[in-house]
Amino acid sequence: VSRRVKVLHNYHCQVCAIQLRGVAGPYAEAAHIQPLGTPHHGPDMLTNALCLCPNHHVMFDLGGFGIADNLQLLGLPGRLLTQKEHPIGTVFTAYHRVHFYEPGSAAGY
């Protein structure tokens, strides 16, 4: 799932569109919207994954921004960048909003 989401987005962050490149090639991180494992038990599936740059991955995990059901970003300007082949599960974005998103916290990053 992690490799697939990065390939689908050509290693571009779904928030800022940046593609980091190094000598080993492009770099991005796969982030689970509803985390895997205890206590969250999110599934390891494409609809529960995002392709993010390291900064936006950390911000997302810490609740610095959220994603509305219409894919507008909450706490940051803009809209989540998407690919037709990568639908986002609104059940997972809703879970993230309830358990992680803290309105106004992105300003501290």
Side-chain angles (χ1 to χ4, degrees):
V1 170
S2 294
R3 188 179 354 239
R4 177 91 174 118
V5 75
K6 293 181 222 179
V7 168
L8 281 171
H9 294 277
N10 195 29
Y11 292 80
H12 286 85
C13 177
Q14 288 183 257
V15 173
C16 67
I18 289 176
Q19 182 196 61
L20 298 174
R21 295 196 61 80
V23 293
Y27 179 82
E29 297 179 355
H32 286 89
I33 303 166
Q34 179 178 338
L36 306 179
T38 304
H40 303 289
H41 303 290
D44 190 22
M45 55 193 300
L46 195 58
T47 56
N48 186 37
L50 299 172
C51 181
L52 300 175
C53 69
N55 286 346
H56 283 120
H57 188 174
V58 171
M59 287 177 68
F60 187 70
D61 284 355
L62 295 177
F65 71 94
I67 303 167
D69 287 346
N70 67 1
L71 304 182
Q72 284 295 124
L73 297 176
L74 305 170
L76 293 176
R79 179 177 170 83
L80 190 72
L81 303 172
T82 60
Q83 296 290 332
K84 175 173 71 166
E85 303 85 8
H86 177 214
I88 303 297
T90 56
V91 66
F92 306 123
T93 56
Y95 185 94
H96 181 272
R97 288 192 306 272
V98 168
H99 294 277
F100 296 97
Y101 175 57
E102 297 181 29
S105 65
Y109 290 97

